[in-house]
Amino acid sequence: MKLLPSLERAVPKEHLAPAALHDLITSLQNIKIAIESSVSNEQKAKLDNLDNIINKLTQLGDDPSIDDIPTAAKTIIENAVALFPDDKQQEILESQVYKKTFKLLDQWEQISAPISSQTDGFNRNIEFDKDYDTKFNDFQIGLRVGAIGIYNINVLTTKQAQKLLKLEVADTECLVNQTLSAAYEVNASAAGAIKFINISASLAKAGELKLDTFFQVKNNIPTYRALWAMFKTPVVPWSLKSVNTLLTVPNGGTSLGYRACALKTGTSFTIQGEVGVGKSLVTQTDLKGNVIDIDFSTEISASHQHTITGDVSMFVTKHASSGKPLLKITIEEADERTNALNLALQAQIKGLDKLAGQYVEMLLSKGNKIVQWLEENSSPGAALLESLDSNVNKDKWYKPIASLALGQESVDDAVESLIGNELQNVIDRIPLSSEDDAEELANKVVTKLLDIFGASDSTAIESYREAAEQALQDELAKLQQHIRQQADRFKELIESEAKDVLKPVEALGKEVKQAVTQFDDNIEKNFNKIISKYREFKEKITSALEKSANIKLGLAYDDLRKRSTSLSHSLELLLEAPESSDVQTFYRSLAIGDDKKVASMLPTLLNTGKVKVLAESTAIETMRNNTTTLGLSIIGKNITSVKDVLSQLNVKVDTSGNLYVKQEYKVTATASGLGETREAVLNLTYGIAQASQNPDFVGSVGFSYTNKDSKLHSVNEISEFLHSLDFSNNPHFNNLPNDVSVPTLIPAYRKNTAIAEFNKIVKQAPTQFTTSEICISLRASKQTYRKLLGLNGYNLFNNAMTYLIYLTKRDDFYQEAMEDIVEIYEELDPKYADYNELFSLLLGSPNSTNISLNTIKNDLRDLDSFKKLMKRKSKLPYKNEKIFWLRVNSKFEKYAEMAGALRRLPTTLNAIETAVDNFSVTTQQKADLEKLNATLKGLNKKFQRGLDDWVEVEGIVKNAIDDLYSKFGWAKSSVNLRLLSFLLLLQETVGEDEELFLTTITLSNASDERRVIVV
């Protein structure tokens, strides 16, 4: 690969003369400056004419009387050289820049036809010849391109410019589009005004690069003049200085100049923004699902960061009003399912420690003075930052870090804020003790900080790093002294409190209990033990919260993308301060695909007003300004009596992103008794209650079926499971009434793709993963929630009866008899095609659960089809009519009960929403909370009764359950037919345009490595 420091290298030789002439002019001016103080007055007078001659050179392309620009240029150059002393003339004639210019002038392609007539364009395969390399000092990042690229020039008319680029061009003008396509990689160049720069590790790969520039000219200008003007000073798309200088302002009074430039790379784009975390609902229950307590957290916000992989395009123009650079960024996703997966697994969420602190207090003991004190003093990042800002010169801390992390040596408020925020987050999340070695701690912190900005150690200049570490080490030592002082205050606090107040803290483990008991023996050491264990427990909750938020954001994004007709995202940025070094760093990082720096810098630049977002697509706007509600469900009563919360409390996040904490030692007993099938009921209420508090809540209804194999599924088992989700294989599928449709949960091509992907993973790494889990979960979105609230109970009943009679497990003759009976009733009166009408008749009253045998006999006895049914019945081995009717009757009653439960489901859902809606989030009175708890518990039981008969599992693996919210259990290799009916019923009722269920296959191992296949 060759270094491409400027676009000149990408221009065919026959068009390079103008840029070479520009370099020669610069060389002549520099020689004049160097010698004019040492030459005679006569010689000096001759040199004074150089400026006039150079003006003629720069205006060659503008003089319509000159037809042969190269010949005219040579004559003027010779006149200019003649002004210098003899020795200098010889030096100039032998210089590389002089020889190169004359050689390229000889190769100049003189095309006299008007530029607007070049509709076929110019196409070249170009070779990047080092002979025509030029020095470029804007910055030291170069694009290393392949040895050969494709180059072309096209002319865009007024209509084409408007249609393709949305650029307004007068009818008398056109745009000359210069395009380069080549393989590329990003690398550092030794030359440049800045001494060095770190490049993110993610950029150490080759990709495809496409560069475009758009030059505006008059239609009637000869082609050679247009090209001469365009190539005289080429714009460099990845340099903000070049772009800001050379791009013209729309309607700015000039008809000649660059209007826009563009870059397109096959890379990734990282978006970072605020996440609003709403009033999270905290529920506490016993192992049977009885609600013990409910509380609401305060509202907080956090920042999230996620990466979209695909083709990233950046289109740069000048803003019509301000004249500032305007960036239009478009990302075309490479693989939608892969991106949804990456979003859920790899997104970063920061700032959830405040919410984690509230949850820790709830877990240990709400209102406990010791717990509150530990929380207030567990995050020293702000204190360290304040100390740095007060005591350390910016050149000793911020400047070295800015140089190492961002590749710029100037520091302003935006850069300080950016580095300070990241430093505070690092200090608040790493283990920190007053007994740590301050030098080692400083090294660890700087390493983490550089990693955040994607700056690798290998390219860091040691002197800068040493300076940063020394400045940080001194302040860390002061912070450690502050921690020692905290130990003394903590001693006073625990001495003033009763023993009962200390119990929640002692639940952090044996070491903490011992440290509290023997605190006076070694105050500093014991305090470090207590505060570090508290931080460790808080980190456990924080990490789970981040994972929960990632999953919810991933599901929201997947849901949004599913509704979108396009997989492109767009963001329009106005660079308000293009001269600012941090904005130039941001632009450069964006241009070369350094998404990590872009993600880190953009929020700060937006906050300081240096960059403004003018417009953004729905997808990016949603992800940059998303609101998600995180909640905690605590399972197991008297959780504060747990002896060691760090080892005994298991913090879990389910596939819908719901967070819960349970006591691990109680799970086995619960699982063996299948108590877990009751826990999913709570999950429904918990989610719906949150959705009632926040209409944008994601994860409102957590409902899932999980099939887990602790020894890894075989490919055949995966195939059998996925294909069992298709009811069309059922032998009775064709017996369905014409007006009943059965939806498809997963299209066949997606099943086959997932099976192939699973097979590939297992073959490529047969020992890497030890466990596999298939999960079908209800998609979590406010649209899903609203659709479930709006379900039609009568439609549910009618479809449920159809599925139960025609499709579920069968006792063939009796099932056929039931089909005949309902069809004969329709023959009796067409209105009975609606099973709501039919079973209202058979049950007699809304509250009845019994069907009268005599009603059926009396209604149908005169019909021939009924007589035929009775004749077939008489041929059964057991001819006892009473047994026959009892069997038919019991099945009808059971089906009516099950379908009736689904008919009441929307009413129950709305009752839950109403109950929470009517509860004021500011209410603190215990009586009001208990009233809400009682209401929700009663509604829970309705859910439980309504869903139990539908939710069946087969082949449950004993003691293999690790997800208490899994209502359905573990099937061996296929889904139970009645359960599948339930899933299909919900899907059919909301409509196939709303894909209700998300199916994933997760492979994992003991090290928590995971691969997730989204089916």
Side-chain angles (χ1 to χ4, degrees), residues 674 676-677 705-706 809 948 950-957 961 966-972 974-979:
L674 303 186
E676 84 288 350
T677 58
Y705 170 87
T706 307
K809 283 187 175 179
D948 275 352
W950 283 100
V951 179
E952 290 186 347
V953 293
E954 297 173 342
I956 294 178
V957 182
I961 300 172
S966 176
K967 171 72 180 176
F968 308 132
W970 278 256
K972 188 175 181 182
S974 61
V975 180
N976 175 277
L977 209 53
R978 188 178 289 180
L979 171 59

Side-chain angles (χ1 to χ4, degrees), residues 13-26:
K13 295 173 185 178
E14 56 266 35
H15 296 148
L16 268 174
L21 182 60
H22 180 268
D23 289 345
L24 177 59
I25 290 171
T26 303

Side-chain angles (χ1 to χ4, degrees), residues 206-353:
E208 286 296 319
L209 167 73
K210 183 180 178 183
L211 299 171
D212 280 281
T213 63
F214 301 92
F215 193 82
Q216 182 172 310
V217 293
K218 291 284 186 181
N219 287 333
N220 58 359
I221 287 182
T223 298
Y224 70 91
R225 291 191 183 282
L227 296 182
W228 187 277
M230 184 172 74
F231 293 131
K232 183 167 60 177
T233 312
V235 66
V236 182
W238 57 91
S239 164
L240 182 55
K241 286 182 182 178
S242 174
V243 165
N244 195 38
T245 301
L246 295 177
L247 291 194
T248 59
V249 180
N251 305 317
T254 177
S255 61
L256 188 72
Y258 284 99
R259 280 292 306 275
C261 60
L263 298 94
K264 184 173 184 178
T265 59
T267 180
S268 57
F269 189 83
T270 301
I271 299 169
Q272 180 167 318
E274 288 297 303
V275 181
V277 180
K279 295 177 174 63
S280 301
L281 183 69
V282 182
T283 58
Q284 188 170 355
T285 69
D286 61 25
L287 288 169
K288 294 181 180 179
N290 297 314
V291 180
I292 297 171
D293 196 10
I294 270 190
D295 194 14
F296 294 94
S297 73
T298 55
E299 191 165 344
I300 67 162
S301 65
S303 64
H304 80 271
Q305 180 175 305
H306 73 279
T307 302
I308 298 171
T309 301
D311 290 330
V312 180
S313 303
M314 185 169 74
F315 187 76
V316 190
T317 57
K318 284 286 185 73
H319 191 262
S321 301
S322 68
K324 303 287 179 63
L326 180 65
L327 279 57
K328 295 179 183 178
I329 301 154
T330 304
I331 307 103
E332 298 282 347
E333 289 186 32
D335 184 327
E336 56 176 305
R337 287 191 292 145
T338 301
N339 275 321
L341 169 64
N342 285 339
L343 193 60
L345 297 183
Q346 298 172 10
Q348 297 178 26
I349 307 288
K350 296 179 181 178
L352 291 176
D353 53 313

Side-chain angles (χ1 to χ4, degrees), residues 207-501:
E208 286 296 319
L209 167 73
K210 183 180 178 183
L211 299 171
D212 280 281
T213 63
F214 301 92
F215 193 82
Q216 182 172 310
V217 293
K218 291 284 186 181
N219 287 333
N220 58 359
I221 287 182
T223 298
Y224 70 91
R225 291 191 183 282
L227 296 182
W228 187 277
M230 184 172 74
F231 293 131
K232 183 167 60 177
T233 312
V235 66
V236 182
W238 57 91
S239 164
L240 182 55
K241 286 182 182 178
S242 174
V243 165
N244 195 38
T245 301
L246 295 177
L247 291 194
T248 59
V249 180
N251 305 317
T254 177
S255 61
L256 188 72
Y258 284 99
R259 280 292 306 275
C261 60
L263 298 94
K264 184 173 184 178
T265 59
T267 180
S268 57
F269 189 83
T270 301
I271 299 169
Q272 180 167 318
E274 288 297 303
V275 181
V277 180
K279 295 177 174 63
S280 301
L281 183 69
V282 182
T283 58
Q284 188 170 355
T285 69
D286 61 25
L287 288 169
K288 294 181 180 179
N290 297 314
V291 180
I292 297 171
D293 196 10
I294 270 190
D295 194 14
F296 294 94
S297 73
T298 55
E299 191 165 344
I300 67 162
S301 65
S303 64
H304 80 271
Q305 180 175 305
H306 73 279
T307 302
I308 298 171
T309 301
D311 290 330
V312 180
S313 303
M314 185 169 74
F315 187 76
V316 190
T317 57
K318 284 286 185 73
H319 191 262
S321 301
S322 68
K324 303 287 179 63
L326 180 65
L327 279 57
K328 295 179 183 178
I329 301 154
T330 304
I331 307 103
E332 298 282 347
E333 289 186 32
D335 184 327
E336 56 176 305
R337 287 191 292 145
T338 301
N339 275 321
L341 169 64
N342 285 339
L343 193 60
L345 297 183
Q346 298 172 10
Q348 297 178 26
I349 307 288
K350 296 179 181 178
L352 291 176
D353 53 313
K354 292 179 182 177
L355 186 58
Q358 295 172 21
Y359 285 176
V360 169
E361 186 183 359
M362 168 66 79
L363 285 163
L364 294 178
S365 180
K366 189 171 183 183
N368 181 278
K369 288 183 181 179
I370 306 290
V371 175
Q372 289 178 338
W373 190 93
L374 287 171
E375 172 56 28
E376 290 168 4
N377 292 277
S378 65
S379 303
L384 176 67
L385 193 58
E386 184 179 349
S387 179
L388 273 168
D389 289 341
S390 302
N391 303 322
V392 179
N393 186 291
K394 293 179 182 180
D395 288 347
K396 292 184 177 180
W397 165 248
Y398 284 110
K399 185 175 179 179
I401 292 295
S403 298
L404 289 165
L406 302 175
Q408 64 177 66
E409 296 200 3
S410 59
V411 175
D412 59 13
D413 291 344
V415 173
E416 282 185 38
S417 175
L418 172 63
I419 295 171
N421 290 340
E422 297 297 346
L423 174 66
Q424 182 174 338
N425 186 61
V426 168
I427 293 296
D428 286 342
R429 296 292 294 270
I430 65 170
L432 185 64
S433 165
S434 63
E435 298 171 285
D436 291 337
D437 181 277
E439 184 178 350
E440 290 181 8
L441 191 58
N443 179 276
K444 183 194 297 186
V445 171
V446 170
T447 298
K448 281 186 172 288
L449 207 53
L450 295 182
D451 182 61
I452 288 169
F453 290 102
S456 60
D457 260 351
S458 59
T459 56
I461 287 187
E462 197 60 35
S463 60
Y464 279 107
R465 179 164 187 136
E466 288 175 359
E469 287 182 6
Q470 184 58 57
L472 185 60
Q473 180 182 331
D474 296 341
E475 297 311 308
L476 281 171
K478 294 175 186 176
L479 180 62
Q480 289 176 308
Q481 180 59 38
H482 174 67
I483 293 173
R484 294 185 190 101
Q485 295 169 357
Q486 284 182 321
D488 294 326
R489 288 195 288 272
F490 188 72
K491 177 179 181 294
E492 296 171 4
L493 180 64
I494 61 176
E495 287 176 346
S496 66
E497 297 297 335
K499 287 186 177 180
D500 286 347
V501 180

Side-chain angles (χ1 to χ4, degrees), residues 497-734:
E497 297 297 335
K499 287 186 177 180
D500 286 347
V501 180
L502 300 176
K503 284 184 178 179
V505 181
E506 293 173 354
L508 289 167
K510 234 180 233 184
E511 292 176 281
V512 173
K513 185 175 182 179
Q514 186 177 3
V516 171
T517 307
Q518 303 172 358
F519 197 77
D520 288 349
D521 294 351
N522 191 328
I523 293 174
E524 182 181 357
K525 182 177 181 180
N526 286 325
F527 177 71
N528 281 327
K529 179 66 67 179
I530 294 167
I531 195 75
S532 65
K533 288 293 180 182
Y534 178 86
R535 286 172 64 132
E536 188 178 336
F537 184 51
K538 182 179 174 182
E539 179 64 21
K540 189 177 183 181
I541 301 295
T542 304
S543 298
L545 276 169
E546 290 172 348
K547 183 179 177 184
S548 172
N550 286 344
I551 291 173
K552 289 182 182 295
L553 285 168
L555 291 173
Y557 182 67
D558 185 66
D559 186 68
L560 175 74
R561 209 193 46 243
K562 180 169 62 69
R563 289 175 172 77
S564 176
T565 56
S566 172
L567 295 176
S568 66
H569 316 269
S570 63
L571 186 64
E572 196 168 298
L573 301 175
L574 181 64
L575 305 186
E576 289 281 19
E579 299 84 10
S580 174
S581 58
D582 49 353
V583 176
Q584 291 176 6
T585 298
F586 167 77
Y587 179 90
R588 177 191 64 214
S589 301
L590 188 58
I592 64 175
D594 195 342
D595 58 283
K596 208 165 187 180
K597 284 192 180 68
V598 170
S600 299
M601 298 185 75
L602 182 55
T604 304
L605 294 174
L606 291 174
N607 290 336
T608 54
K610 292 185 174 183
V611 174
K612 286 184 180 177
V613 176
L614 299 187
E616 48 194 330
S617 70
T618 305
I620 288 183
E621 186 173 16
T622 298
M623 298 314 300
R624 289 187 64 245
N625 303 287
N626 198 60
T627 299
T628 182
T629 304
L630 303 178
L632 177 74
S633 189
I634 305 167
I635 303 170
K637 56 186 175 182
N638 300 323
I639 208 161
T640 54
S641 65
V642 175
K643 292 180 180 178
D644 188 348
V645 297
L646 281 171
S647 62
Q648 293 181 9
L649 287 187
N650 196 0
V651 184
K652 290 284 185 180
V653 182
D654 68 15
T655 52
S656 293
N658 297 312
L659 178 68
Y660 59 96
V661 174
K662 57 190 173 72
Q663 291 170 250
E664 188 64 41
Y665 69 92
K666 289 190 177 182
V667 173
T668 304
T670 306
S672 63
L674 303 186
E676 84 288 350
T677 58
R678 295 291 181 260
E679 300 298 338
V681 177
L682 174 64
N683 189 23
L684 286 164
T685 301
Y686 151 68
I688 292 169
Q690 285 184 312
S692 300
Q693 289 299 317
N694 180 3
D696 294 322
F697 175 65
V698 175
S700 55
V701 184
F703 203 56
S704 63
Y705 170 87
T706 307
N707 181 318
K708 183 173 182 177
D709 191 327
S710 58
K711 294 182 180 179
L712 213 63
H713 288 91
S714 68
V715 176
N716 286 340
E717 285 175 324
I718 294 289
S719 177
E720 182 183 352
F721 180 92
L722 293 179
H723 288 301
S724 75
L725 301 178
D726 189 351
F727 244 155
S728 62
N729 295 325
N730 188 296
H732 303 281
F733 182 83
N734 295 325

